[in-house]
Amino acid sequence: MKATGHKTNWGRLARPVIGILLLLVQVFFAVCLCSAETRPGIPSIFKPESTPADSIYSLSLLVLAIAGFIFAFVAGLLIYSISKFRRRANDNSEPPQVYGSSQIELAWTVIPVLIVLVLFVATARVIHAIQDAPKPAGAVDVTVIGHQFWWELRYPELGIVTANELHVPVSDPAHPTPTFLKLLSADTDHSFWVPRLAGKTDLIPNRVNNMWIDPHDVGVYVGQCAQYCGIQHAKMLLRVHVDSRDQFDKWVRDEKQSVVTREATEEGRRIFETTACMNCHSVSGTVANGRLGPNLTHLMSRDTIASGAAPNTPENLKAWIRDPDSVKPGSLMPGMKLNEHDLDMLTAYLQTLR
């Protein structure tokens, strides 16, 4: 009987200990994943490339360190208590009863207050540094408008309108060139989030929010809408192209160029201008001046279509026009129901929009 009782007690002890060990293993793997090298196309706050993101990263390390210490301390006390004060076989006596302890009550009141105070001060400092940062004279201004389910990007000082792929210059710490974003919404709540460049900021109807980024290295940084905005929220993706100064200047020059229509694609242009396409989309130099959908003036200069849902290839573009739901189920773009000849001509015309 003694052996059976002893085994039962150890069985009761083993279950919570195994559970805690499994939780620790999960925490360990989570830390390894967070600290691993970031692969292209995978956003991560643990590889910051901009001052706002770096400030958030430093704050997150402080919070994780404090939370990790609390977790380790509480888990250690729990394991110690389970081991030391477990019920022994044939021991039915009551443990000593303790009715209050001023020292313990004071400790569990003062220590949490101090922890919260430290976190509050650290967080307030980061928020102040990001939100109240001065705007230098050479900053780039971009107006970002969230739509269901794509991003409209306007450069008011440069006269450029594009969609889904934001181009900004790299910011040299010696000569900072930050990009200041004015965030608006055309319909419902959205949230602009590129983890390696900045924290998330909401786009709310009838309200103007602002944020800024100053990327330190060239490359492509991915993000997406971080606020549920409808059935295609998950595919409202975003790409930020951080260009060198020369590359950015070239991109600006290219975006300002007018569209040149080739004679071979004139039929496709006619189809575009005589169907519902022109009611939603704009192409400079044509009668198309719609605002409900992305500006297509330089469509083929973008890496993706459908707000990042698919690579910008002729095959995907044709499939997107034929049946938008095959590429992005639930999108608000209607199928044009064109015959195969008209579809080929329209696709050929769109491929000239560079």
Side-chain angles (χ1 to χ4, degrees), residues 28-213:
F28 172 76
F29 279 111
V31 171
C32 290
L33 288 173
C34 291
S35 59
E37 186 67 26
T38 301
R39 290 179 292 172
I42 300 180
S44 171
I45 69 167
F46 294 97
K47 298 293 181 181
E49 287 292 346
S50 179
T51 299
D54 191 61
S55 299
I56 294 171
Y57 169 69
S58 299
L59 177 62
S60 69
L61 290 184
L62 174 64
V63 174
L64 286 174
I66 293 176
F69 173 78
I70 294 173
F71 171 79
F73 180 73
V74 173
L77 284 180
L78 183 61
I79 294 174
Y80 172 77
S81 301
I82 291 173
S83 175
K84 182 173 178 61
F85 301 107
R86 70 184 186 278
R87 183 176 180 180
R88 266 66 174 182
N90 299 326
D91 183 4
N92 296 319
S93 62
E94 273 196 22
Q97 303 299 301
V98 178
Y99 297 96
S101 169
S102 298
Q103 293 84 357
I104 294 177
E105 292 172 2
L106 184 64
W108 72 40
T109 301
V110 173
I111 294 176
V113 168
L114 292 176
I115 292 174
V116 171
L117 182 62
V118 169
L119 293 176
F120 170 78
V121 171
T123 303
R125 178 175 173 273
V126 170
I127 292 175
H128 170 71
I130 294 175
Q131 292 189 347
D132 298 330
K135 181 179 178 180
V140 177
D141 289 309
V142 181
T143 299
V144 179
I145 305 173
H147 298 259
Q148 291 178 309
F149 302 95
W150 60 282
W151 304 95
E152 181 179 358
L153 307 170
R154 293 180 168 270
Y155 297 72
E157 296 179 354
L158 301 175
I160 294 173
V161 180
T162 184
N164 301 322
E165 297 186 8
L166 176 65
H167 282 257
V168 300
V170 68
S171 184
D172 182 359
H175 302 89
T177 311
T179 300
F180 278 71
L181 307 176
K182 180 181 179 182
L183 305 178
L184 307 172
S185 173
D187 35 52
T188 186
D189 289 353
H190 302 282
S191 190
F192 187 99
W193 190 34
V194 184
R196 298 186 66 187
L197 299 182
K200 62 183 71 171
T201 304
D202 289 346
L203 294 78
I204 302 172
N206 303 315
R207 178 183 175 88
V208 178
N209 285 337
N210 298 278
M211 64 182 295
W212 62 279
I213 57 176

Side-chain angles (χ1 to χ4, degrees), residues 186-251:
D187 35 52
T188 186
D189 289 353
H190 302 282
S191 190
F192 187 99
W193 190 34
V194 184
R196 298 186 66 187
L197 299 182
K200 62 183 71 171
T201 304
D202 289 346
L203 294 78
I204 302 172
N206 303 315
R207 178 183 175 88
V208 178
N209 285 337
N210 298 278
M211 64 182 295
W212 62 279
I213 57 176
D214 62 339
H216 300 152
D217 197 8
V218 298
V220 178
Y221 301 92
V222 294
Q224 72 172 85
C225 177
Q227 174 71 33
Y228 182 75
C229 55
I231 190 170
Q232 266 309 312
H233 156 71
K235 287 190 176 180
M236 188 173 169
L237 307 177
L238 175 69
R239 297 166 73 87
V240 178
H241 294 258
V242 179
D243 303 325
S244 67
R245 190 71 228 191
D246 291 340
Q247 290 174 330
F248 181 74
D249 291 340
K250 181 181 183 302
W251 177 81

